[in-house]
């Protein structure tokens, strides 16, 4: 049958064959791309975990003899056992275990612990790494959803691609029921029909599958490089992604694609082979509705052509299901993603970059160093290009606020009645609240005193006397008021969580003005009473009132309107001053903003890529359907023309069908997007005018036009094929063409 029929049929029915080839190519391409990206995402996460936590799978700690270590190394499933000196505490030995087969980790590690005389309950597992290999322990309470999420996305996308190929074969083969009925009537067996159709599928799909897989690998490689470029190596905590492609991934992709094509061809072939010759000959291959349904909206807008287009779409509903869902989800996801990132960008800019633009340009963290032991303060403050440089340290303390000290304004909204037990604790003496201590270098503290209009002194504290109206949930436009009356001349501070008399500190001033530091106050704990003190005073009282942080910070403000080159030079100068003596981490405001922008662009590129992928799946299904439905619909159009329908009216039908398919995602998405954005604006207390000024109308419109354009192109190609058929002869054409 191949020589007598199949090869000739493929040559003489190019549009049907091209539809199947395009579907196979697109599906193989996208499946290969998905597998490549999935594998590299998995590989990247494994590398990240190994860099941050180590590549060990389980860990035992205790008094382990060298003989036991050798016995553990010789354990059947153990690949290696390494003594981890860095993780050891005291005289304990910490042994990191690596296994040949990760499935044996949870079962064999307790046995190994017993060999070393260590309780199995003390065993530590690298749960995050094991979860990437789908190995879960009941003791691991973390959700670990990243890898399962990858698998779900992969499975859903693969299922959509399978449906595309299946629909293409179903459309192509259902159009030939009449022809195979004739074959059966002259003696063709069901097996011969199935073999014939499967041979055609193999001939049509072999080259597209190979080409699609190779191109998918190449595109995944390019996308990994794009992600590296967009995110950059300067993003904190990110290592460079190195493209990899395991041979098993290629084998799996090819097997899935071949199996998909085989099952997609076999199902309709099996259905055709089971029809009796009489049933097959009577079948015209048309798309028919089981019962007529009206389309009142299309009829009202477009008239008779609208009703005919509505019936045609309902008849094709099953074939177009994948296209409709893919286009709806892609446009909806892309629109909501653009709106979300726009809102997030506005919020980040207003609450971080613009808020601190005149506060810092270079931020240096000096590790394991207290402010009173940092000796390079003056040298940094006198560097060229430094407008101000504040060296400071943070400490935690508590203080008592009595009922008499609370300001009248604070009492007006209920005082401490809205405070949680962690923010304010009522005691016999009053309310115990957190009192963070900001320790400034002496020169900066004196400058701060001059800014607020008091005589500079180094023996007291300045208290931030400001509290937000906690009854007003609008965090973007908070209303502030005095916290305390400000009549006390001393403040009593004590260690957090301890009862005692504490230490009395003179209060130099109560103020709403704070030093120019990249710090936020009373954002989590609204009731904290922040104290600013000089480092000279800290030397006298440290250890008595507060638990100081291990690190110190240098907040540097450069010249006004300094560009990136100036800040890079200034950052290099500061690094030179502190190099060797301290372990530091430094941030550059402009570089941080650029890094943040790259991260956002990278995330948008990744999510946008998935949206485009869904759109390609949808439009691919539309192309597959429109290029393959010519034979199924030729008798339909012939009947229409026999009762007086003109080619222009048939073309109008095509336009209406394309408009409905492309317009449905837009009609469903826009109201949902408006409701979602409205909710987000309300939740974030952002003005509508601000969002509208930056709303992503252009990218959404481009994506929308892309969907409309591709669907229109698919239907144009279908219409062009319809015009080539002699519709007058279609009603009486029973040949095999």
């Amino acid at each position: 049958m191949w020589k007598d029929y199949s090869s000739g049929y493929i040559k003489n029915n190019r549009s049907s064959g091209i539809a199947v080839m395009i579907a196979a190519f697109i599906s193989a391409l996208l499946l290969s791309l998905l597998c490549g990206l999935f594998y590299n995402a998995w590989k990247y996460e494994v590398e990240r975990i190994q860099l941050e936590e180590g590549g060990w799978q389980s860990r035992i700690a205790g008094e382990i003899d060298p003989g036991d270590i050798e016995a553990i190394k010789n354990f059947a499933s153990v690949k290696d056992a390494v003594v981890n000196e860095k993780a050891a505490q005291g005289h304990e030995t910490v042994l990191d275990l690596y296994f040949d087969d990760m499935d044996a980790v949870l079962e064999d590690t307790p046995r190994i612990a017993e060999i070393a005389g260590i309780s199995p309950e003390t065993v530590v597992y690298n749960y995050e790494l094991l979860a990437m290999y789908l190995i879960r322990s009941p003791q691991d309470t973390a959700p670990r959803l990243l890898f399962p999420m990858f698998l779900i996305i992969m499975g859903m996308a693969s299922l959509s691609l399978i449906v595309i190929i299946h629909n293409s074969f179903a459309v192509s083969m259902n159009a030939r029921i009449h022809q195979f009925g004739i074959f059966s009537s002259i003696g063709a067996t069901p097996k011969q029909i199935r073999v014939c159709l499967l041979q055609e599928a193999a001939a049509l799909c072999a080259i597209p599958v190979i080409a699609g897989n190779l191109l998918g690998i190449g595109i995944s490689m390019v996308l990994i490089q794009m992600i590296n470029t967009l995110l950059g190596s300067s993003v904190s905590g990110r290592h460079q992604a190195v493209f990899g492609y395991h041979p098993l991934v290629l084998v799996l992709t090819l097997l899935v694609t071949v199996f998909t094509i085989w099952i997609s061809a076999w199902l309709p072939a099996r259905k055709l082979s089971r029809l009796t010759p009489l049933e097959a000959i009577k079948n015209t291959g048309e798309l028919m509705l089981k019962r007529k349904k009206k389309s009142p909206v299309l009829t009202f807008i477009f008239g008779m052509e609208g009703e005919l287009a509505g019936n045609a779409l309902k008849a094709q509903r099953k074939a177009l299901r994948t296209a409709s869902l893919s286009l709806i989800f892609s446009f909806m996801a892309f629109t909501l993603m653009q709106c979300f990132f726009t809102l997030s960008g506005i919020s980040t800019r207003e609450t971080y970059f613009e808020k601190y633009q005149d506060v810092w340009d270079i931020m240096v963290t000096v590790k394991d160093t207290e402010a009173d032991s940092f000796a390079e303060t003056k040298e940094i403050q006198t560097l060229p290009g430094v407008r101000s440089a504040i060296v400071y340290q943070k400490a935690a303390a508590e203080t008592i606020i009595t009922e008499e000290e609370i300001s009248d304004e604070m009492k007006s909204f209920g005082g401490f009645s809205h405070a949680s037990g962690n923010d304010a604790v009522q005691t016999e003496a009053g309310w115990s609240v957190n009192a963070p201590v900001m320790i400034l270098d002496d020169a900066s503290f004196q400058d701060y005193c001059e800014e607020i209009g008091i005589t500079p002194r180094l023996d007291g504290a300045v208290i931030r006397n400001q509290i937000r109206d906690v009854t007003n949930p609008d965090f973007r436009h908070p209303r502030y008021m005095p916290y305390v009356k400000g009549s006390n001349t001393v403040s009593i501070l004590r260690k957090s969580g301890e009862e005692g008399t504490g230490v009395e500190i003179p209060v130099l001033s109560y103020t709403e003005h704070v030093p120019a530091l990249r710090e936020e106050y009373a954002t989590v704990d609204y009731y904290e009473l922040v104290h600013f003190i000089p480092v000279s005073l800290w030397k006298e009282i440290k250890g008595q009132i507060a638990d100081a942080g291990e690190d110190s910070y240098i907040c540097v403000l450069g010249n006004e309107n300094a560009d990136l080159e100036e800040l890079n030079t200034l950052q290099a100068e500061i690094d030179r001053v502190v190099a060797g003596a301290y372990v530091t981490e430094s941030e550059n405001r402009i570089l941080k903003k650029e890094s943040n922008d790259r991260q956002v662009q990278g995330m948008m590129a990744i999510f946008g890529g998935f949206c485009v992928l869904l759109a390609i799946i949808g439009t691919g299904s539309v192309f597959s359907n429109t290029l393959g439905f010519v034979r199924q619909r030729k008798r339909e159009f012939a009947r229409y023309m026999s009762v007086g329908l003109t080619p222009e009216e048939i073309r109008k039908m095509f336009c209406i069908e394309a408009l409905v398919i492309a317009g449905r995602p837009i009609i469903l998405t826009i109201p949902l997007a408006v409701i979602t954005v409205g909710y987000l604006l309300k939740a974030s207390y952002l003005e509508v005018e601000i969002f509208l000024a930056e709303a992503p109308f252009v990218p959404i419109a481009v994506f929308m036009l892309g969907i409309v354009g591709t669907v229109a192109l698919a239907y144009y190609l279908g219409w062009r094929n319809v015009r080539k058929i002699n519709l007058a002869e279609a009603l009486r054409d029973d040949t095999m063409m």
Side-chain angles (χ1 to χ4, degrees), residues 91-400:
H91 300 290
E92 284 188 344
T93 300
V94 176
L95 201 62
D96 291 345
L97 302 179
Y98 301 80
F99 290 78
D100 290 311
D101 182 9
M102 283 200 182
D103 291 330
V105 173
L106 300 178
E107 183 179 352
D108 288 350
T109 303
R111 299 176 183 173
I112 293 171
E114 291 177 358
I115 292 174
I118 297 169
S119 172
E121 285 75 19
T122 62
V123 171
V124 177
Y125 296 97
N126 195 341
Y127 289 126
E128 193 173 9
L129 180 61
L130 293 176
M132 295 306 294
Y133 293 88
L134 295 181
I135 299 172
R136 294 301 308 270
S137 168
Q139 288 138 10
D140 181 19
T141 56
R144 315 283 182 200
L145 297 177
L146 184 62
F147 193 34
M149 183 187 71
F150 284 162
L151 288 176
I152 291 171
I153 293 173
M154 177 79 177
M156 291 176 63
S158 299
L159 185 61
S160 299
L161 298 175
I162 289 170
V163 174
I164 288 179
I165 300 179
H166 174 70
N167 286 344
S168 298
F169 280 103
V171 168
S172 175
M173 294 182 182
N174 286 338
R176 300 163 62 189
I177 295 176
H178 184 74
Q179 300 166 10
F180 281 109
I182 297 174
F183 278 156
S184 297
S185 68
I186 59 175
T189 65
K191 181 178 179 182
Q192 286 176 318
I193 293 175
R194 287 197 300 270
V195 170
C196 173
L197 292 173
L198 291 174
Q199 284 177 339
E200 288 181 21
L204 289 171
C205 297
I207 295 177
V209 164
I210 295 172
N213 272 279
L214 294 177
L215 185 58
I217 295 171
I219 294 176
S220 61
M221 183 186 300
V222 172
L223 287 177
I224 295 298
Q225 294 303 318
M226 284 178 60
I227 291 171
N228 280 332
T229 303
L230 288 170
L231 296 182
S233 57
S234 60
V235 177
S236 178
R238 183 185 184 276
H239 68 279
Q240 195 80 356
V242 179
F243 178 79
Y245 201 87
H246 199 282
L248 288 177
V249 178
L250 178 60
V251 172
L252 177 64
T253 306
L254 287 171
L255 286 176
V256 170
T257 310
V258 170
F259 175 76
T260 299
I261 291 173
W262 180 81
I263 198 70
S264 300
W266 183 80
L267 286 174
R270 179 171 172 266
K271 178 182 176 182
L272 291 182
S273 66
R274 286 188 168 187
L275 292 175
T276 64
L278 185 59
E279 288 174 327
I281 291 173
K282 286 172 60 179
N283 191 294
T284 62
E286 288 186 61
L287 293 168
M288 299 292 292
L289 281 171
K290 292 183 179 178
R291 65 170 182 257
K292 296 295 182 182
K293 297 181 180 179
K294 292 185 178 295
S295 302
V297 176
L298 293 179
T299 304
F300 176 76
I301 298 174
F302 300 107
M304 176 189 63
E305 295 88 348
E307 183 169 358
L308 294 175
N311 288 334
L313 287 171
K314 287 168 184 173
Q316 300 174 78
R317 182 171 52 193
K318 204 172 200 180
L320 289 172
R321 187 176 297 156
T322 301
S324 298
L325 291 176
S326 298
L327 292 177
I328 290 169
F329 287 142
S330 66
F331 187 63
M332 189 177 295
F334 185 82
T335 301
L336 295 179
M337 177 200 72
Q338 288 287 337
C339 293
F340 172 79
F341 278 110
T342 300
L343 283 168
S344 177
I346 293 172
S347 181
T348 302
R349 188 183 66 243
E350 287 187 353
T351 59
Y352 188 83
F353 291 111
E354 289 182 357
K355 180 179 179 181
Y356 294 110
Q357 184 172 353
D358 297 323
V359 171
W360 74 285
D361 287 320
I362 306 295
M363 194 75 190
V364 182
T365 302
V366 187
K367 299 288 188 180
D368 302 322
T369 304
E370 295 193 11
D372 58 333
S373 61
F374 186 76
E376 285 76 12
T377 302
K378 189 172 182 180
E379 186 177 355
I380 292 175
Q381 290 172 338
T382 56
L383 284 173
V386 173
R387 205 182 338 165
S388 71
I390 303 176
V391 178
Y392 69 99
Q393 186 180 3
K394 294 181 280 189
E398 290 180 354
T399 190
I400 297 292

Side-chain angles (χ1 to χ4, degrees), residues 64-76 78 80-83 95 97 112 115-116:
I64 307 176
D65 296 332
D68 292 335
I69 294 176
E70 287 301 317
I72 292 170
K73 287 183 177 180
N74 293 325
F75 198 86
V78 173
D80 197 7
V82 179
V83 176
L95 201 62
L97 302 179
I112 293 171
I115 292 174

Side-chain angles (χ1 to χ4, degrees), residues 482-540:
Y483 192 165
V484 294
K485 293 178 178 178
S487 57
N488 288 354
T489 58
V490 296
S491 177
I492 301 175
L493 298 179
R494 64 186 184 187
K495 286 187 177 181
S496 299
E498 293 186 7
E499 295 183 1
T501 56
V503 177
E504 291 188 359
I505 298 176
V507 177
L508 304 182
S509 177
Y510 293 89
T511 181
E512 296 177 358
H513 181 72
V514 296
L517 303 177
R518 196 190 69 180
E519 297 290 337
E520 290 188 340
Y521 311 105
T523 53
V524 178
D525 177 4
Y526 298 145
Y527 297 90
E528 63 184 21
L529 192 64
V530 184
H531 289 57
F532 300 96
I533 67 172
V535 72
S536 296
L537 178 60
W538 174 249
K539 289 179 181 178
E540 299 176 11

